[in-house]
């Protein structure tokens, strides 16, 4: 881990001497933070990280669903590393059957990161270049065993995309953090790697420093010597990388160095890591205080609805946070149903007078012209009102099921059934339109409980499986298992509402038996754990196996590295193309002066000239076609698999 940190001396400071005993005083509370989770306490070492980051992480909860559902991706065995006393160290051990299996897995993960990147509404790499990555990443140590080779690396628990882009700004592929650096990049043999970062970081940095301060344009490319031209192009590339690397700043980072399992619980280090990552990404996009914009807009809507007699005095008090939502009904389930329908009636109304009122208060266009941005704004208002009504429970808007803009124009439909009737209809054994409608509304009403219980992740950033919330709910409500989970979420949220109201809460019968699914050995099994994110994302099974292997460096290039090698061949070709096209354009201009309207040409001469132009035209057209293809940026965000031919850059054509 030393290669990941700078200014190590304060961390390894000691006191005492041989006679009194030497004590390491560097790891004090000022440098190590305890992070408590339901699976135990993690200890994070806070240090300054240099420009080069660690590895992207393939094993946290962000990718678990995608990998578990993809039969073409090699799934590694993940086991805890045992200490001599039998305890579990803060290290995970991952075993792949072969180098090919590891590369296939890595290709898939890189593809998922690329897909997430394309789905962003901003350029993270450009943001990092400006800010130097101000947000801290968190890493932990992973021990890899692959076909007899063993090596350790630090992987990002939170911050895979930031780590990837810090690599990119240094001219490195994502594979380098996990596999090590191909020695051929620095003139070494093909097929060999430096696995240990200490073996290659200094070498790579020294190469960058060699070209630091050199303007790439000052490196001339000779046109008469192909070998020297290639060397000059490589030197220009390193000069460009050196300039790019200066955009990455030294930042704060956290490294997990300790783990103490929860008392009485089975050690589950990877689950503890995943839970911290969930907490990081489940934070709300808004600070739901009494002064934020969403709450201010929500309060205007509520006050106006009350003035128009559209809601009662009690409902007004609940939505403004002065009366607990539990008072909406004596039955806890009915209180949850009433609250969700109340907020929907105010924020997503269906009757004409309420549609007009909402549009006017929010200064929106007519319902027919509402767009996605208006739906998102209303979703934030809905979260703010639910938060206020329940009494401060943070419900992130990004994790809620914000209706599509078409539904917003018409309002959210409701069956009008009581909670008991709704559950009875949803759990009916006979398929019917009524059962489908009941399940759809039950899923919608359950969402606040699912979000509060960290079961449902929003489709923002790179967190979770990137299906939209509505897609996840549709997938869940077609199963009896999913409907039972919705009922549990409603009951759990009802308990939160009662607690916030100061009411006594008695444990529900069977509340400890969740209807969750765990994927193990390709089969789906019911567990006895309470509701959490496993229902939607699955979880890595823990196996107690040990294996031995030697240390080695042979390794093939990953698809992204193969692609980077191919891109090197294009270095300088754009400049050559620009010169060639400029020459061609100038040549045409000169030719036009010779054969233009002022030139007296015979019919035979002009016919011969036209024949020559006809031969030239398809060449120019073909060049224009490829120019458009080069400018095209594919927008496919699907899963990437396969080899170099269809890696993460897409194969679609622009036509």
């Amino acid at each position: 881990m030393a290669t990941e940190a700078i200014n190590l001396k304060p961390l390894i400071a000691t006191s005492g001497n041989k006679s009194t005993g030497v004590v390491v005083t560097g790891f004090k509370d000022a440098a190590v933070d305890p992070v408590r989770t339901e699976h135990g306490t993690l200890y994070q070492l806070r240090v300054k990280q240099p420009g080069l980051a660690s590895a992207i992480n393939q094993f946290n909860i962000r990718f678990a669903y995608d990998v578990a559902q993809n039969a073409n991706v090699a799934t590694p065995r993940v086991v805890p590393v045992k200490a001599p006393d039998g305890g579990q160290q803060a290290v995970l051990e991952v075993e792949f059957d072969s180098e090919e299996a590891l590369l296939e897995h890595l290709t898939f993960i890189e593809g998922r990161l690329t897909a997430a990147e394309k789905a962003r509404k901003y350029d993270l790499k450009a943001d990092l270049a400006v800010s130097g990555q101000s947000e801290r990443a968190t890493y932990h140590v992973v021990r890899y065993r692959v076909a007899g080779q063993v090596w350790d690396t630090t992987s990002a628990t939170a911050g895979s995309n930031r780590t990837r882009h810090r690599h990119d700004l240094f001219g490195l592929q994502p594979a380098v953090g996990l596999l090590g650096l191909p020695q051929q990049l620095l003139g070494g043999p093909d097929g060999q790697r430096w696995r240990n970062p200490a073996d290659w970081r200094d070498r790579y940095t020294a190469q960058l420093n060699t070209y630091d301060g050199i303007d790439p344009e000052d490196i001339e490319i000779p046109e008469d010597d192909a070998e020297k031209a290639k060397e000059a192009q490589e030197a220009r590339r390193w000069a460009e990388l050196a300039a790019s690397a200066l955009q990455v700043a030294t930042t704060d980072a956290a490294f997990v160095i300790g783990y103490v399992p929860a008392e009485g619980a089975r050690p589950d280090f990877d689950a503890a890591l995943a839970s911290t990552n969930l907490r990081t990404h489940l934070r709300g996009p808004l600070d739901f205080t009494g002064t934020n914009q969403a709450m201010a807009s929500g309060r205007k809507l509520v006050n106006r609805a009350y003035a128009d007699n559209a809601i009662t005095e009690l409902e007004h008090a609940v939505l403004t946070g002065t009366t607990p939502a539990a008072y909406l009904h004596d039955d806890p389930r009915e209180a949850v149903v009433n609250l969700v329908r109340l907020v929907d009636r105010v924020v997503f109304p269906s009757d004409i007078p309420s549609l007009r009122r909402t549009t006017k208060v929010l200064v929106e266009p007519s319902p027919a012209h509402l767009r996605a941005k208006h739906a998102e704004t209303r979703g934030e208002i809905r979260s703010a009102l639910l938060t206020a009504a329940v009494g401060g429970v943070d419900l992130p808007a990004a994790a809620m099921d914000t209706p599509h803009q078409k539904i917003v124009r018409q309002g959210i439909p409701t069956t009008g059934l009581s909670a008991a009737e709704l559950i009875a209809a949803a759990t009916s054994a006979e398929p019917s339109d009524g059962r489908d409608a009941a399940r759809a509304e039950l899923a919608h009403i359950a969402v606040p409980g699912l979000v509060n219980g960290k079961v449902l992740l929003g489709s923002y950033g790179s967190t979770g499986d990137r299906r939209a919330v509505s897609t996840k709910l549709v997938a869940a409500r077609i199963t009896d298992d999913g409907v039972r989970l919705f009922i549990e979420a409603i009951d759990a949220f009802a308990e939160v509402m009662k607690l916030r109201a100061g009411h006594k809460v008695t444990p529900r019968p069977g509340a400890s038996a969740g209807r969750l699914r765990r994927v193990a050995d390709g089969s789906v099994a019911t567990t006895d754990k309470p509701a959490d994110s496993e229902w939607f994302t699955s979880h890595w099974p823990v196996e107690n196996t040990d294996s031995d292997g030697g240390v080695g460096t042979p390794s093939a290039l990953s698809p992204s590295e193969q692609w980077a090698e191919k891109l090197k061949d294009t270095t300088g070709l754009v400049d050559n193309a620009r010169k060639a096209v400029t020459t061609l354009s100038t040549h045409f201009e000169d030719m036009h002066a010779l054969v233009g309207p002022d030139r007296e040409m015979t019919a035979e001469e002009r016919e011969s000239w036209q024949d020559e132009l006809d031969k030239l035209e398809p060449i120019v057209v073909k060049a224009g076609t490829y120019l458009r293809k080069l400018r095209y940026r594919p927008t496919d965000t699907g899963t990437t698999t396969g080899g170099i031919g269809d890696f993460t850059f897409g194969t679609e054509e622009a036509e």
Side-chain angles (χ1 to χ4, degrees), residues 56 65 88 154 322 371 429 435 599 617:
I56 61 175
Y65 178 86
Q88 183 174 344
T154 48
T322 57
R371 297 291 181 263
R435 189 181 76 168
R599 166 75 189 277
E617 184 177 14

Side-chain angles (χ1 to χ4, degrees), residues 198-213:
D199 291 335
W200 64 265
R201 288 194 181 203
D202 288 346
R203 290 183 171 95
Y204 194 84
T205 304
Q207 183 77 345
L208 291 176
N209 289 336
T210 300
Y211 292 90
D212 181 34

Side-chain angles (χ1 to χ4, degrees), residues 190-488:
D190 294 348
Q192 295 289 318
R193 290 182 186 272
W194 288 295
R195 297 286 201 204
N196 188 344
D199 291 335
W200 64 265
R201 288 194 181 203
D202 288 346
R203 290 183 171 95
Y204 194 84
T205 304
Q207 183 77 345
L208 291 176
N209 289 336
T210 300
Y211 292 90
D212 181 34
I214 298 178
D215 188 341
E217 297 299 324
D218 290 342
I219 302 176
E220 297 184 0
I221 311 296
E223 299 180 0
D224 54 351
D225 190 324
E227 190 64 30
K228 289 185 178 180
K230 185 176 181 180
E231 293 176 1
Q233 291 287 6
E234 183 70 3
R236 179 177 287 188
R237 188 180 71 86
W238 278 105
E240 292 171 349
L241 291 178
S244 176
L246 292 176
Q247 299 176 92
V248 184
T250 296
T251 59
D252 291 328
F255 293 89
V256 177
I257 62 170
Y259 169 59
V260 178
E263 186 175 354
R266 175 178 62 86
D268 201 348
F269 178 50
D270 52 337
L273 288 172
S275 67
T276 62
N277 194 40
L278 287 178
R279 287 183 176 85
T280 300
H281 289 82
L282 269 173
R283 63 186 183 278
L286 293 173
D287 178 19
F288 288 131
T289 64
T291 58
N292 74 76
Q293 184 60 51
M295 192 65 238
S297 298
R299 196 171 284 117
K300 288 181 182 178
L301 276 177
V302 172
N303 290 338
R304 184 60 182 270
Y306 180 58
D308 292 347
N309 294 318
I311 59 175
T312 65
E313 184 175 355
L314 172 61
E315 291 172 337
H316 177 268
V318 167
L319 293 180
T320 53
T322 57
T323 298
Y327 286 95
L328 285 173
H329 202 283
D330 292 336
D331 183 273
R333 286 179 174 174
E334 296 290 354
V336 174
V337 172
N338 288 355
L339 173 61
V340 174
R341 286 176 176 171
L342 170 61
V343 173
D344 288 345
R345 202 165 75 239
V346 173
V347 183
F348 301 105
S350 56
D351 61 286
I352 299 299
S354 297
L355 283 169
R356 290 174 178 168
R357 178 178 62 247
T358 303
T359 298
K360 186 174 181 179
V361 172
L362 298 181
V363 196
E364 291 177 340
S366 62
H369 294 91
L370 290 177
R371 297 291 181 263
K373 64 179 181 180
H374 301 111
E376 291 176 5
T377 298
R378 290 206 198 182
E380 293 170 355
I381 294 172
R382 177 187 178 220
S383 294
L385 290 178
L386 285 170
T387 295
V390 178
V393 175
D394 186 11
L395 301 174
M400 302 292 278
D401 60 329
T402 301
H404 189 273
Q405 62 198 55
K406 292 181 181 178
I407 298 180
V408 174
R409 298 166 186 167
Q410 305 167 358
I412 294 180
T414 177
T415 61
L417 299 174
S418 67
E421 294 170 336
L422 188 66
I423 291 173
T427 54
S428 171
E430 296 297 325
S432 66
D433 292 341
R435 189 181 76 168
D436 292 343
R439 288 186 168 190
E441 186 173 18
L442 191 71
H444 174 69
I445 291 172
V447 166
L450 293 171
V451 173
N452 182 248
K454 294 182 174 61
V455 175
L456 197 62
L457 297 183
S459 56
Y460 58 100
S462 61
T463 307
D465 71 89
R466 278 169 294 281
R467 297 177 297 170
V469 173
S470 58
T471 304
K472 298 176 186 178
L473 293 175
V474 169
R477 76 189 193 210
I478 64 176
T479 68
D480 293 338
D481 214 22
V483 172
R484 286 193 292 268
L485 180 66
F486 296 154
I487 297 172
E488 288 179 4

Side-chain angles (χ1 to χ4, degrees), residues 480-534:
D480 293 338
D481 214 22
V483 172
R484 286 193 292 268
L485 180 66
F486 296 154
I487 297 172
E488 288 179 4
I490 291 173
D491 288 342
F493 200 59
E495 289 185 359
V496 172
M497 289 169 55
K498 291 174 68 176
L499 287 171
R500 288 291 189 271
H503 294 172
K504 184 179 180 181
V505 175
T506 17
R508 292 173 285 115
S512 61
R515 308 306 198 272
L516 308 180
R517 300 187 298 180
R518 175 187 292 273
V519 177
D521 301 323
S523 61
V524 176
T526 302
T527 72
D528 294 328
K529 293 182 62 178
D532 62 25
S533 297
E534 290 186 11

